[in-house]
Amino acid sequence: MRKARKYDSYEDYIAFQKKKTTDPIKREKWLGEEWELKLKAFESLFKAHPQIYRSGAKCLCLGARTGQEVLALMNIGIDATGIDLVPCPPYVDEGDIHDLKFENSQYDVVFSNVLDHALDIEKMMTEATRVVKVGGLLHFQIQVLMHQDEYTETYFDDPVRDISSVMPPNTFCLSAQTIPHNFAGMNYQLIFQKMREQI
């Protein structure tokens, strides 16, 4: 696991990451030509994991950008919430993946494909695990050995070792595998289960 850059302050990191999400050209593309494509792809992804995405489950999407994954979950009967540094109503509220404004053990599932954008991946994982119920699942998608954009903060060379090394000790890795068809630029996914509350 390698870091892409250093910042003078956390505020500098936030400001840099917001540039991507507020870019008008990118937002027009995400909300326009890519919207339906990604919505259907997310629905297909979630339907392929019925053991995770059960009807009525509560799911938190971290780094949800414009909200396709949130709507996709709603469409299959999941109570979904999305957060990102830049809100995008009606599906995405303002929030920080390093400092979640939710009580402990609120969600059945946490989903994210923005691990590479975390400045402090260990802190993100601690927060994600904190808000999941005991027995709940954490579903992460990442890019491994692929070209990534200029906003990448962390590179994962050995996904199982790298991600497992920053997960809290009260979690267990249930699955780690490549993603068929390279979904949305993501080619690897890991699923962890929260086994008990953190002491």
Side-chain angles (χ1 to χ4, degrees), residues 50-95:
Q51 76 281 17
I52 302 176
Y53 301 101
R54 305 177 314 276
S55 180
K58 287 185 66 176
C59 180
L60 175 62
C61 299
L62 303 180
R65 196 181 286 168
T66 46
Q68 287 100 325
E69 59 262 65
V70 179
L71 180 57
L73 286 165
M74 291 177 175
N75 287 346
I76 62 169
I78 306 294
D79 179 3
T81 300
I83 67 157
D84 204 290
L85 290 173
V86 178
C88 189
Y91 304 116
V92 183
D93 299 325
E94 183 176 359

Side-chain angles (χ1 to χ4, degrees), residues 15-66:
F16 180 70
Q17 286 298 322
K18 281 184 174 181
K19 286 181 182 179
K20 178 175 183 177
T21 314
T22 56
D23 183 310
I25 296 174
K26 285 183 170 61
R27 288 187 77 82
E28 182 179 1
K29 184 177 182 180
W30 297 335
L31 292 166
E33 65 184 84
E34 286 188 354
W35 179 266
E36 196 67 22
L37 177 67
K38 287 192 174 179
L39 177 63
K40 295 303 181 187
F42 273 119
E43 283 187 20
S44 178
L45 166 73
F46 297 138
K47 286 178 180 177
H49 294 281
Q51 76 281 17
I52 302 176
Y53 301 101
R54 305 177 314 276
S55 180
K58 287 185 66 176
C59 180
L60 175 62
C61 299
L62 303 180
R65 196 181 286 168
T66 46

